[in-house]
Amino acid sequence: MYEPVSHSLLNRILEDLKPETRKQDLRYFYIRLGANFYAIYSLFHQLYGGRADFDTQMTRLVQVMAERHIERDDELKALDIQRQEDHNWFLSQELVGMALYADGFAKDLPGVQSHLGYLQELGVNLLHIMPILKCPQGASDGGYAISDFRQVGERFGTLEDVEELARSMRLRGMLLTLDVVVNHTSDEHQWAQLARQGDKQYQDYYYIFDNRNVPDMFEETMPEVFPEQAPGNFTYDEQMGKWVMTVFNTYQWDLNYSNPAVFIEMLDVILFWANRGADILRLDAVAFLWKKIGTTCQNEHEAHLILQLMKDCCQVTAPGVAYIAEAIVAPVEIIKYFGEDAVIAKECEVAYNATFMALLWDAVATKNAKLLDQGIRNLPQKLDRATWLNYIRCHDDIGLGFDDRDIAAAGYDPRAHRQFLVNYFTGQFDSSPARGEPFGENKKTGDMRISGSLASLVGLEAAIDSGDEKAIQDSIDVILLLHSMILSFGGIPLLYYGDEVGTLNDRSYLDDVSKANDSRWMNRPRINWDKMKRRNQHGSVEQRIFDALKKMIAVRKLIPAFADFNNRELIETGNPHLFVFARNDWLQGFSQVIVVGNFDSTPQSLNLNDLGNRGQFQFTELRDLVTGEAPAMFKNQLVIPPHHFYWLSDQRHN
Ligand code: GLC
Ligand code: GLC
């Protein structure tokens, strides 16, 4: 949009650009800056308009965007243009991701590079590499406490290794996702150190208070993220003699985004990593970006303005780069991280589908899809050109973040039901084979979360210990059922490293004092590559899981209806054990796939009349796309074996 006030400012800014910047060919940059400038100006003004130095800060912002654009190499610029044409690239069913710790997976970055072939063998073509930056020696929240946003931690390798990996992945047609921890730094970051030494400019980078007055006001309404290991949201710093806001661990200092200098620094960091060759940036803990007394300090309107601004600026400098929002919050809040009052995504193009994740775990424990169905039905429609990151497990705990009203609508008492789930997954019932551990218990609110690896949570560990082959097969079936869901739901499936071979809980963290108080470490394994060879041994647990997943991944990539164009339709059936939905391909000729998952441990049937009128879909011609075979039928009933799934199509159309 053209608007005279902002555009006359833009003219002045461009005249003031450093001479070496002005000498460059900035054609594409200027076109995009012109297109986005009014939006950038308005957002920056809403956040920082009251400041006397507004114009100076705005000039600095544009200077950073221009400098990073000049620095961006030609190959990446070509990719920007290519993605402008192919602007639905991240909605494709051909994407299949995996999240991993570089050190846990393969020792370091060169190790990851040497195992790209393994990932390709499985069919993974998008990697999220967990934080690799310099962080404190002891506890570092798994690398989420960053001491230098531009320096790779020695144990992982070097910056050159990252660039080399990015290049090598690009050649293989794989996408690289890296973290940008936007909400906080470690207390060893230079900004924190300068703040500690009394430097006012850097104290203003954080929320720092002389006494408890303001912190106490904040505490009245702020929940605790780590109530056991780091209770409270403020930490007293001896050297400064002041209190600093630390929402996560005591050594993670929250950045103060009401200071525009912080915004500009962090945008610079985002663009720095875009320029190292990351295709996607995972913005960590975005729900926490804005703090306001009297609120939970999560999901504040300004947090969304900051993300929009980060997106608008990135679109000017590195438009080919997509963002993932890591906002593990209530279902109605998560969806806002795509953008509010918009048609297409304008904050982050991708968001963790924490709702679906938690609902899947509910279905595992209850053996029915009542809450799963209810929760998904009530998930607001997302924007166009926005997509989910669908996952079962990740490096974090499982939070039971579904809506209380949905729990009630599914026929349970919310508090008692949550307690049941925690008890179930921590194996407190004889009937539960799960071996999880509680995480983040909050005695004040009764809130509790769950740690544990996928395999151990679905009973594989217990089954192997007891040598019960039937139980082993049943756990494998659940592992595959869950994957069949994230691979077909709509969005990017994100596998978690180790799960592809049924990796069990790792309890070695208990021997490390910097980890022992954080049970999330039990689901952050160190891969044993000798053991991995068992995936080639016919009949081994590893082989049964790996090969089945590999097949499903290959099939997913061939099903256009699995691309995410908001083309999912939930189907209500009379059988609560089944989760059933249709995926429709409206774009490339009409075709449909009906996904059916049986969460019960006994066979279930589905009355085909419940599927309603499916247009040209002939129920007599059903075929399961994974096995290529006709599913079992009895009269007018589809029969679904225990913990089994189907991806059904009418064989005449596929
Ligand atoms: C994110 C990460 C989690 C970390 C937190 C603080 O939620 O996934 O591991 O503890 O941010 O950085
Ligand atoms: C994130 C999530 C929270 C999670 C935490 C650490 O901030 O919001 O649910 O438990 O990180 O695991």
Side-chain angles (χ1 to χ4, degrees), residues 141 144 184 226 248 252 282 284 326 395-396 520 524:
D141 194 19
Y144 281 100
H184 42 260
F226 298 137
F248 290 85
Q252 287 167 299
R282 174 192 183 274
D284 182 66
E326 194 262 343
H395 66 292
D396 279 334
R520 290 177 300 167
R524 298 171 178 179

Side-chain angles (χ1 to χ4, degrees), residues 95-273:
L95 293 182
V96 175
M98 181 184 276
L100 52 80
Y101 282 97
D103 50 351
F105 179 67
K107 191 168 159 279
D108 53 18
L109 289 164
V112 173
Q113 187 164 334
S114 68
H115 284 90
L116 290 179
Y118 167 80
L119 297 167
Q120 287 185 296
E121 179 190 337
L122 181 60
V124 164
N125 51 19
L126 180 157
L127 265 199
H128 166 214
I129 301 184
M130 307 284 296
I132 46 171
L133 299 186
K134 191 174 166 203
C135 59
Q137 282 268 312
S140 68
D141 194 19
Y144 281 100
I146 309 260
S147 303
D148 186 330
F149 285 112
R150 293 179 179 79
Q151 199 182 324
V152 174
E154 257 171 51
R155 68 178 200 285
F156 295 109
T158 62
L159 209 49
E160 288 69 41
D161 291 333
V162 181
E163 287 178 304
E164 185 49 39
L165 177 65
R167 256 192 304 275
S168 169
M169 288 180 64
R170 217 172 304 135
L171 283 175
R172 294 166 187 256
M174 299 175 86
L175 302 179
L176 175 62
T177 304
L178 294 174
D179 274 273
V180 181
V181 184
V182 282
N183 180 67
H184 42 260
T185 74
S186 90
D187 61 345
E188 293 182 12
H189 190 286
Q190 195 195 10
W191 303 336
Q193 307 234 14
L194 290 167
R196 254 194 193 127
Q197 288 156 22
D199 188 325
K200 286 268 174 287
Q201 186 190 342
Y202 288 97
Q203 288 188 351
D204 209 23
Y205 272 41
Y206 301 96
Y207 295 99
I208 289 176
F209 305 94
D210 291 338
N211 54 45
R212 284 291 312 186
N213 293 348
V214 177
D216 284 342
M217 284 185 238
F218 268 113
E219 291 287 16
E220 284 173 23
T221 48
M222 277 176 97
E224 295 167 304
V225 177
F226 298 137
E228 294 170 308
Q229 71 209 62
N233 289 286
F234 295 84
T235 302
Y236 185 72
D237 187 81
E238 292 285 347
Q239 196 182 330
M240 240 180 346
K242 292 180 197 284
W243 291 88
V244 56
M245 186 185 279
T246 55
V247 170
F248 290 85
N249 287 293
T250 54
Y251 50 83
Q252 287 167 299
W253 290 21
D254 285 66
L255 285 165
N256 170 13
Y257 277 88
S258 59
N259 177 357
V262 167
F263 178 87
I264 296 169
E265 294 267 20
M266 293 313 293
L267 177 72
D268 203 359
V269 170
I270 287 176
L271 299 176
F272 175 85
W273 287 103

Side-chain angles (χ1 to χ4, degrees), residues 90-97 126 338 349-351 353 356 382 386-391 485-494 556 561-568 581 583:
F90 53 91
L91 305 178
S92 166
Q93 81 280 6
E94 286 175 19
L95 293 182
V96 175
L126 180 157
F338 295 125
E349 294 87 344
V350 191
N353 199 349
F356 187 43
K382 65 178 165 54
T387 198
W388 291 119
L389 201 64
N390 294 313
Y391 65 112
M485 294 291 129
I486 62 165
L487 284 161
S488 62
F489 185 78
I492 304 171
L494 187 73
R556 161 184 159 96
F562 282 0
D564 187 14
F565 290 95
N566 285 335
N567 48 343
R568 179 185 48 255
F581 57 90
R583 299 297 314 279

Side-chain angles (χ1 to χ4, degrees), residues 5 26 40 42 49-50 92 121 141 166 223 252 300 429 444 512 531 568 578:
V5 178
L26 292 174
I40 292 173
S42 315
S92 166
E121 179 190 337
D141 194 19
Q252 287 167 299
E300 284 300 305
F429 304 126
K444 286 170 260 174
D512 180 337
K531 220 179 131 215
R568 179 185 48 255
L578 304 178

Side-chain angles (χ1 to χ4, degrees), residues 504-528:
L504 307 178
N505 287 337
D506 178 353
R507 292 203 168 72
S508 64
Y509 77 100
L510 291 168
D511 304 329
D512 180 337
V513 285
S514 70
K515 296 177 178 162
N517 67 354
D518 187 335
S519 64
R520 290 177 300 167
W521 284 99
M522 67 199 282
N523 44 271
R524 298 171 178 179
R526 202 156 270 276
I527 299 297
N528 175 339

